[in-house]
């Protein structure tokens, strides 16, 4: 990972020492006095991915996050020999690295409502409703993939695991009210469709071999939600987007919301109750597993951070007493 730091002159020496003393950091460059806003030095460095989180934490503790600037980028390639030794010095595997402050920043971004988020959720809920009416498992999968709700679920998990109660509350509120809004929109559309003859109540209440699971939660629903929540949060933490599609397909959140809307349109309490239970069970399972996964990851990385700081402190001590 590449760090581009805007450093006030008062912190420049301290920042340089922190970077140069770390074996997991290389290509440290300093351009004194070139930064105009805010005034200061420009310091750049390449850091092994496994060590980035610890470096950023230390720079933030120095006050650089408040008085300067920290920009993190990812090079397309690092075809030089020193890159390998830097990776070895960091220990572990880059694919396992979690950059915690970036994770929190992404979670904060996901906790705000956007027009696109709401549009995707409404479209996904509409697809789920059509899947119920046509008893189509293919459309159920499509609705799961289109649904954007896992972003809010994962942001809630990050807030709870990091004890950022404002982030957790805002993300969970976003999850609840956007589902309510999507269900309301599809309920109105379904009610109109019902009264113009587009479908009838029997299409919702009949036996549906491919989609009955949507409003009939069981123990397996909760177990799948736990596994999906753990996998999804882990994939988000280590930035493995390819694994997210499998998570989207695993959980019955949007399909349940679509069935709730149809149940409200025909006012069938059994459909409404079962679908709400499925929706709540899946969200609860994902939240529980997601928070536990992040807490365990956090404990492991905290231990690694303590070991790295001990090594750096020893190095400073030895240098001072030579």
């Amino acid at each position: 990972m590449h760090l581009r730091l805007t450093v006030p002159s008062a912190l420049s020496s301290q920042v340089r020492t922190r970077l140069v003393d770390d074996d997991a950091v290389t290509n440290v460059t300093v351009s004194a006095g070139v930064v105009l806003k805010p005034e200061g030095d420009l310091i750049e460095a390449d850091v092994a991915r496994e060590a980035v989180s610890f470096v950023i934490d230390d720079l933030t503790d120095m006050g650089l996050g408040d008085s300067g600037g920290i920009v993190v980028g990812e090079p397309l390639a690092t075809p030089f020999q020193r890159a390998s030794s830097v990776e070895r010095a960091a220990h572990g595997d880059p694919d396992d690295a979690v950059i915690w402050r970036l994770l929190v920043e992404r979670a904060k971004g996901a906790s705000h409502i956007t027009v696109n988020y709401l549009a995707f959720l409404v479209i996904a809920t509409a697809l789920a409703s059509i899947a119920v009416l046509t008893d189509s498992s293919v459309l159920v999968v499509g609705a799961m993939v289109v649904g954007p709700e896992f972003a809010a679920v994962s942001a809630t998990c990050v807030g709870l695991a990091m004890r950022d109660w404002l982030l957790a509350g805002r993300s969970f509120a976003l999850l609840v009210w956007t589902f309510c809004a999507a269900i309301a929109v599809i309920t109105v559309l379904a009610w109109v469709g019902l009264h113009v003859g587009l479908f009838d109540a029997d299409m919702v209440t009949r036996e549906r071999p491919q989609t009955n699971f949507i409003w009939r939660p069981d123990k397996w629903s909760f177990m799948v939600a736990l596994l999906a929540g753990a996998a999804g949060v882990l994939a988000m933490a280590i930035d493995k987007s390819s694994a997210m599609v499998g998570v989207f397909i695993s959980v019955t959140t949007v399909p349940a919301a679509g069935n709730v809307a149809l149940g409200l349109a025909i006012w069938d309490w059994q459909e409404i109750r079962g679908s709400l239970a499925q929706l709540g069970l899946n969200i609860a399972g994902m939240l529980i597993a997601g928070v536990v996964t992040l807490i365990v990851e956090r404990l492991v990385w905290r231990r690694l951070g303590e070991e790295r700081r001990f090594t750096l402190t020893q190095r400073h001590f030895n240098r001072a007493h030579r």
Side-chain angles (χ1 to χ4, degrees):
M1 305 291 286
H2 184 73
L3 295 185
R4 185 178 184 276
L5 311 174
T6 301
V7 185
S9 300
L11 289 177
S12 189
S13 177
Q14 190 178 358
V15 170
R16 278 185 287 179
T17 300
R18 170 62 182 86
L19 296 176
V20 171
D21 283 353
D22 196 334
D23 291 338
V25 180
T26 189
N27 295 343
V28 180
T29 60
V30 179
S31 301
V34 300
V35 182
L36 301 180
K37 185 180 179 181
E39 292 184 358
D41 301 340
L42 175 64
I43 299 180
E44 299 188 66
D46 293 320
V47 186
R49 186 179 181 88
E50 307 93 301
V52 168
S53 191
F54 308 128
V55 173
I56 293 176
D57 283 346
D58 289 346
L59 294 175
T60 303
D61 291 341
M62 292 177 191
L64 189 59
D66 297 322
S67 59
I70 302 173
V71 178
V72 183
E74 188 165 8
L76 293 177
T78 54
F80 62 99
Q81 186 174 359
R82 174 100 180 125
S84 299
S85 60
V86 165
E87 290 288 352
R88 287 194 297 271
H91 304 294
D93 192 285
D95 287 342
D96 294 331
V98 181
I99 306 174
W100 291 100
R101 291 184 186 271
L102 299 190
L103 181 65
V104 172
E105 288 301 311
R106 285 200 297 267
K108 288 179 178 178
S111 68
H112 296 286
I113 180 62
T114 65
V115 173
N116 288 333
Y117 179 97
L118 189 56
F120 274 120
L121 189 57
V122 170
I123 292 170
T125 307
L127 283 172
S129 298
I130 296 172
V132 169
L133 295 174
T134 60
D135 194 29
S136 171
S137 58
V138 174
L139 282 179
V140 170
V141 172
M144 290 173 169
V145 174
V146 172
E149 75 284 355
F150 191 78
V153 172
S154 60
T156 305
C157 292
V158 171
L160 291 172
M162 304 294 286
R163 298 183 181 180
D164 187 333
W165 311 123
L166 179 61
L167 172 60
R170 188 169 59 216
S171 303
F172 187 72
L174 170 67
L175 186 68
V176 171
W177 89 259
T178 51
F179 261 120
C180 290
I183 290 171
V185 170
I186 302 306
T187 298
V188 171
L189 293 177
W191 185 88
V192 172
L194 180 66
H195 286 80
V196 300
L198 190 61
F199 69 95
D200 56 50
D202 290 340
M203 294 178 68
V204 180
T205 58
R206 76 188 191 283
E207 189 67 21
R208 306 188 309 265
Q210 300 299 318
T211 56
N212 269 335
F213 71 93
I214 291 175
W215 65 279
R216 292 177 178 173
D218 55 22
K219 60 184 179 182
W220 299 111
S221 301
F222 188 66
M223 291 179 66
V224 169
L226 288 173
L227 294 171
V233 168
L234 184 60
M236 180 193 65
I238 62 176
D239 202 18
K240 290 293 181 183
S241 57
S242 59
M244 297 301 292
V245 176
V247 174
F248 298 154
I249 296 173
S250 301
V251 290
T252 317
T253 48
V254 166
N259 208 69
V260 169
L262 290 174
L264 288 170
I266 65 173
W267 198 246
D268 186 305
W269 179 243
Q270 189 176 14
E271 294 279 343
I272 297 170
R273 182 177 56 195
S275 301
L276 285 174
Q278 181 75 276
L279 179 60
L281 201 64
N282 274 266
I283 290 176
M286 287 191 291
L287 288 175
I288 292 170
V291 171
V292 170
T293 300
L294 286 174
I295 289 175
V296 171
E297 282 270 1
R298 187 68 171 161
L299 290 174
V300 171
W301 279 91
R302 183 175 296 171
R303 176 65 180 272
L304 291 174
E306 289 172 354
E307 291 177 359
R308 286 189 60 80
R309 288 190 179 94
F310 178 76
T311 300
L312 289 172
T313 301
Q314 262 194 331
R315 191 168 296 163
H316 285 311
F317 179 83
N318 292 338
R319 178 182 297 171
H321 291 79
R322 280 176 184 172

